[in-house]
Amino acid sequence: MRTVEEHAGVVTGLLHRLPAQLLPLAEARGRVLAEDLVAGLDLPPFPNSAMDGYAVRVSELEDRAGDPIALPVSLPVSQDIPAGRTDTAPLVPGTAARIMTGAPIPDGADGIVPVEHTDGGVGDPGAAGATVTIHDLPVPGRHVRTRGEDVAVGTVVLPAGTELGPPQLGVAAALGVAELPVVRPARVLVLSTGTELVVPGQPLGPGQIYESNSVMLAAALSAIGAEPVLAHLVADDVTAFRAELDRAAAVGTPEQVDLIVTSGGVSAGAYEVVKDALTGQGVEFAKVAMQPGMPQGAGVLATAVGDIPVVTLPGNPVSSYVSFEVFLRPALLAAMGHAGTTRPLLWLPLSAPLDSPPGKRQFRRALVDAATGTVAPWGGPGSHLLAWLAGSDAMIVVPEDATSLEAGAPVEVWLLD
Amino acid sequence: MRTVEEHAGVVTGLLHRLPAQLLPLAEARGRVLAEDLVAGLDLPPFPNSAMDGYAVRVSELEDRAGDPIALPVSLPVSQDIPAGRTDTAPLVPGTAARIMTGAPIPDGADGIVPVEHTDGGVGDPGAAGATVTIHDLPVPGRHVRTRGEDVAVGTVVLPAGTELGPPQLGVAAALGVAELPVVRPARVLVLSTGTELVVPGQPLGPGQIYESNSVMLAAALSAIGAEPVLAHLVADDVTAFRAELDRAAAVGTPEQVDLIVTSGGVSAGAYEVVKDALTGQGVEFAKVAMQPGMPQGAGVLATAVGDIPVVTLPGNPVSSYVSFEVFLRPALLAAMGHAGTTRPLLWLPLSAPLDSPPGKRQFRRALVDAATGTVAPWGGPGSHLLAWLAGSDAMIVVPEDATSLEAGAPVEVWLLD
């Protein structure tokens, strides 16, 4: 039997790092930057005021010994500099310039007097007779944002591998960048098999159940930024199944995907369409020492139109979901450039005992109790108990050598979304 | 000056719970369920086998005293039941039925012998002369999934307010539900103001900077499942600005939104387009005791074509982002039906000292060091230092009465995405 790590290695090895694509900032959220973002300009691009007030030469408010002159003092207001002014003139000696937050500091000025430290000014700034009376001496450099103090031109602002969230996209915009090279998302064909399956919304006959894995796996793929492609439901028919796979492998077509994920048809039964269609075709089927999720398969299928990685998950819904979490989620996140590919992980004491089969790693649905800092299994281990999975917020990972854990025993816990 | 809580109350009060809409499962990920999902059927819908094997009457493998008969024993195989078989017949007395995982258990059978406990069967199941030799006695009920053991018809499987992730969508599909009623996302117009602003990708003149707030706020809105609508960049022109707002308020038009968020134009300067356009129009401007983000505004603007809630954020990028986190994120999440509206919160010791202005709640960009379990401020408090925000993964919240914190002091930390 394969260990969980051995099979995880096989699945990860199937997927290569995806290529980059250029995206407008508005579409790049959640993606991973494919190349370093190097600043093409300084931020701020020019010295500007951090306050609404008056720009002055501080030395003009000091005497020859460098001591402050007697205050208040009135100065003519020689110009008005709103934010966005593109033709700011140097500061006329012996005057002040009214200035707004973010506006360029005129050449010659080295201090900002906040408007609260003045009389607010008299007359139209820049017009004849306009003055401002200053009550408090400014400190040179205070309230001045110097050029490049946030970002210096030429520095790496966001290294390749950065996940692009709102602040990262904001800083790219501030640098004037309209598009970023990001790792392309993985396109993944999701294919459920089983003659017993009926599409939700259709009537259910005796012996039939509604198909739930494809919706669940597609949502899990979307949640990590991959692009799910849903195949039509395939009955337990080897020819129809192979035809779907060949379409998805066809190089250069719109149907081509990076990976095929199937569910069902891989256990020891007499009608196992996935196993029947793929055995000896490059896909290796193996038992993995875990519960749920023992029957697994993975490999590269060679078709006449192209090669395509295939991962075959077991069909029970909980087995399928756990297999995604354990094998596909980390492998796909890595292929899409993410550095962190694991769930947030905690060690918490159990609030209730649990049993686990010997020699298998058990993944149990669980609920974290934040108030007590403990975790409890939620529902039994049965792999058909999907409603319990829907009510859980975590998974407990029980190691292979543990068969019985008492309340209070610390366990590894994966926090789900 | 308003407290942070007072202004948060004003912003939250502007937004009402959004109405429900029906969405196909494939589009409902991340949304909040608007009504209880009640099971319309049992799950499993019929008793079925948890193993590939043979369905038997256990009593036929016991003697009159109820003790096991001598094993191995051979039984005729009277039918074959693959998964999906819709015409399963009752089990003929004195025979076994070959059965696959998930297939319906025939009436009369009460035990499953896993295929591993048999000779695997001889002959075509159901054909004359087909037999199976059983080595181990089955336990009644073992490997039988009973009808309704996961979900009983009529029970609430997902209560209103549930966030729909992959397992929740999976269980809805398993119940045959193709669409779910979910809370509609908030549509939010994002409008940056400032004559100094230039759209990324265009050349930058002297005194100009690239507009970054709208991209950043739009990404922050998308990240919580809201629908950002980006307005054209509005210069500091009251008429143009009001025209944009009126378009967004027009009831029943495609342009109508649930909320307008502006950035810039709200401080004490002489050219404050947002303040100039909205003062006395239902929007109240206030100073909030926080750093960054002191100048804030919020209210309902009445226009000729409809009323529209407006939240005005300060224009400095870091102020704008922090204001989103503190006021808009929780208010919008609540309006979209989410129960949890706060960031994951920790108390961690500082690894470096920090200063904070008296009487203001300070929000500092920060980095968490998972290895040491500490947090450090990342960059200074300046509200133009956007690159430092892009490099941080958390915010430290310094209370109003703290002016200086030593290394080692525990602080409240919000974990960003």
Side-chain angles (χ1 to χ4, degrees):
Chain A
M1 224 183 284
R2 272 190 192 165
T3 66
V4 171
E5 278 71 24
E6 282 164 359
H7 191 66
V10 171
V11 172
T12 300
L14 293 178
L15 294 171
H16 306 290
R17 164 71 173 252
L18 289 152
Q21 64 179 158
L22 263 184
L23 279 190
L25 298 192
E27 297 169 27
R29 187 183 63 80
R31 299 294 192 85
V32 172
L33 192 64
E35 297 165 19
D36 290 350
L37 174 64
V38 177
L41 60 150
D42 291 314
L43 284 186
F46 50 87
N48 69 87
S49 178
M51 300 285 282
D52 297 321
Y54 289 83
V56 297
R57 284 184 165 81
V58 177
S59 61
E60 292 179 353
L61 303 177
E62 293 169 342
D63 62 20
R64 292 186 172 224
D67 294 323
I69 59 174
L71 292 177
V73 65
S74 283
L75 292 177
V77 179
S78 55
Q79 65 175 324
D80 190 21
I81 315 176
R85 179 142 182 187
T86 57
D87 59 351
T88 304
L91 183 63
V92 177
T95 73
R98 189 169 77 156
I99 192 164
M100 296 297 132
T101 303
I105 292 179
D107 283 349
D110 60 355
I112 300 294
V113 185
V115 67
E116 296 85 350
H117 297 175
T118 72
D119 66 346
V122 175
D124 259 3
T131 60
V132 63
T133 301
I134 294 170
H135 304 298
D136 294 283
L137 193 71
V139 178
R142 184 105 195 269
H143 307 311
V144 174
R145 299 167 178 167
T146 59
R147 176 174 176 155
E149 100 181 326
D150 188 23
V151 174
V153 63
T155 54
V156 173
V157 180
L158 302 173
T162 298
E163 262 183 60
L164 298 170
Q168 292 76 32
L169 294 169
V171 80
L175 288 165
V177 172
E179 295 182 320
L180 285 173
V182 297
V183 182
R184 177 168 77 64
R187 273 171 61 84
V188 181
L189 181 72
V190 177
L191 218 161
S192 264
T193 68
T195 305
E196 73 276 28
L197 301 178
V198 173
V199 173
Q202 301 297 312
L204 198 66
Q208 297 182 324
I209 58 171
Y210 285 113
E211 198 281 306
S212 57
N213 285 355
S214 64
V215 159
M216 184 166 59
L217 291 170
L221 287 163
S222 297
I224 60 168
E227 279 181 12
V229 179
L230 287 183
H232 295 290
L233 190 58
V234 177
D236 286 346
D237 174 326
V238 168
T239 311
F241 176 73
R242 270 303 304 253
E244 282 280 357
L245 267 48
D246 287 358
R247 260 195 295 283
V251 173
T253 66
E255 285 72 31
Q256 191 189 8
V257 297
D258 302 299
L259 172 69
I260 295 173
V261 174
T262 67
S263 71
V266 291
S267 62
Y271 305 92
E272 302 290 353
V273 64
V274 175
K275 244 183 177 167
D276 295 348
L278 297 180
T279 296
Q281 307 279 311
V283 177
E284 203 177 350
F285 294 94
K287 290 186 175 181
V288 178
M290 63 192 285
Q291 184 200 56
M294 186 177 70
Q296 300 282 347
V300 176
L301 173 70
T303 78
V305 289
D307 294 352
I308 178 85
V310 179
V311 174
T312 69
L313 307 180
N316 278 314
V318 177
S319 310
S320 192
Y321 181 75
V322 167
S323 304
F324 177 87
E325 284 288 329
V326 175
F327 303 118
L328 282 172
R329 189 178 183 278
L332 284 165
L333 283 172
M336 293 190 292
H338 292 267
T341 64
T342 57
R343 291 282 192 182
L345 191 152
L346 293 174
W347 283 82
L348 295 177
L350 281 171
S351 62
L354 61 74
D355 293 329
S356 184
K360 289 189 180 175
R361 191 173 306 174
Q362 194 188 43
F363 297 90
R364 284 288 287 269
R365 286 137 280 183
L367 275 181
V368 170
D369 183 340
T372 58
T374 61
V375 67
W378 186 243
S383 58
H384 61 301
L385 301 175
L386 183 55
W388 292 93
L389 178 64
S392 68
D393 60 11
M395 279 205 308
I396 296 172
V397 184
V398 185
E400 287 79 348
D401 59 357
T403 53
S404 161
L405 292 170
E406 299 301 313
V411 285
E412 182 181 327
V413 178
W414 294 4
L415 299 182
L416 305 181
D417 293 327
Chain B
M1 220 181 287
R2 271 189 192 165
T3 65
V4 171
E5 277 72 23
E6 283 164 357
H7 191 65
V10 171
V11 172
T12 301
L14 293 178
L15 294 171
H16 306 291
R17 164 70 174 253
L18 289 152
Q21 64 179 157
L22 263 184
L23 278 190
L25 298 191
E27 297 169 27
R29 188 183 63 80
R31 299 295 194 82
V32 172
L33 192 63
E35 298 164 20
D36 290 350
L37 174 65
V38 177
L41 61 149
D42 291 313
L43 283 186
F46 50 87
N48 69 86
S49 178
M51 300 287 279
D52 297 321
Y54 289 83
V56 296
R57 284 184 166 83
V58 177
S59 60
E60 294 178 351
L61 303 177
E62 294 169 341
D63 62 20
R64 293 190 170 219
D67 293 323
I69 58 175
L71 291 177
V73 66
S74 285
L75 292 177
V77 179
S78 55
Q79 65 174 323
D80 190 21
I81 316 177
R85 176 139 185 192
T86 56
D87 59 351
T88 304
L91 183 63
V92 177
T95 73
R98 189 168 78 156
I99 192 165
M100 296 297 132
T101 303
I105 292 180
D107 283 348
D110 61 356
I112 300 293
V113 184
V115 67
E116 295 86 349
H117 297 174
T118 72
D119 66 347
V122 174
D124 259 4
T131 60
V132 62
T133 301
I134 294 170
H135 304 298
D136 294 284
L137 193 72
V139 179
R142 186 106 194 268
H143 308 311
V144 174
R145 299 168 177 165
T146 59
R147 175 174 177 155
E149 102 183 323
D150 189 23
V151 174
V153 63
T155 53
V156 174
V157 181
L158 302 173
T162 298
E163 263 182 60
L164 297 170
Q168 292 76 33
L169 294 169
V171 80
L175 289 165
V177 172
E179 295 183 319
L180 284 174
V182 297
V183 182
R184 178 168 74 66
R187 272 172 61 84
V188 182
L189 182 73
V190 177
L191 217 160
S192 264
T193 70
T195 305
E196 75 277 26
L197 301 178
V198 173
V199 173
Q202 302 297 311
L204 199 66
Q208 297 183 323
I209 59 171
Y210 285 113
E211 199 280 307
S212 56
N213 285 354
S214 63
V215 158
M216 183 166 58
L217 291 170
L221 287 163
S222 297
I224 59 168
E227 278 180 13
V229 179
L230 287 183
H232 295 290
L233 190 57
V234 178
D236 286 345
D237 174 326
V238 168
T239 311
F241 177 73
R242 270 304 303 252
E244 282 280 359
L245 267 48
D246 288 358
R247 261 194 296 282
V251 172
T253 66
E255 285 73 31
Q256 189 189 8
V257 297
D258 302 301
L259 171 69
I260 295 173
V261 174
T262 68
S263 71
V266 292
S267 63
Y271 306 92
E272 302 291 353
V273 64
V274 175
K275 243 182 177 168
D276 295 348
L278 297 181
T279 296
Q281 306 280 310
V283 177
E284 204 177 348
F285 295 94
K287 290 185 174 181
V288 178
M290 64 192 284
Q291 184 200 55
M294 186 177 70
Q296 298 283 347
V300 176
L301 173 70
T303 79
V305 288
D307 294 351
I308 178 85
V310 179
V311 173
T312 71
L313 307 180
N316 278 314
V318 178
S319 310
S320 192
Y321 181 75
V322 167
S323 304
F324 177 87
E325 283 288 329
V326 175
F327 302 119
L328 282 172
R329 189 178 183 279
L332 284 165
L333 283 173
M336 293 190 293
H338 291 268
T341 63
T342 57
R343 290 282 192 183
L345 190 152
L346 293 174
W347 283 81
L348 295 177
L350 282 170
S351 61
L354 60 75
D355 293 329
S356 183
K360 288 188 179 175
R361 190 174 307 175
Q362 194 188 43
F363 297 90
R364 284 288 287 271
R365 285 138 280 183
L367 274 182
V368 170
D369 182 340
T372 59
T374 61
V375 65
W378 187 244
S383 58
H384 61 300
L385 300 176
L386 183 55
W388 292 93
L389 179 63
S392 68
D393 60 11
M395 281 208 304
I396 295 172
V397 184
V398 186
E400 288 78 349
D401 58 358
T403 54
S404 162
L405 292 171
E406 300 302 313
V411 285
E412 183 181 325
V413 177
W414 295 4
L415 300 183
L416 305 180
D417 293 328

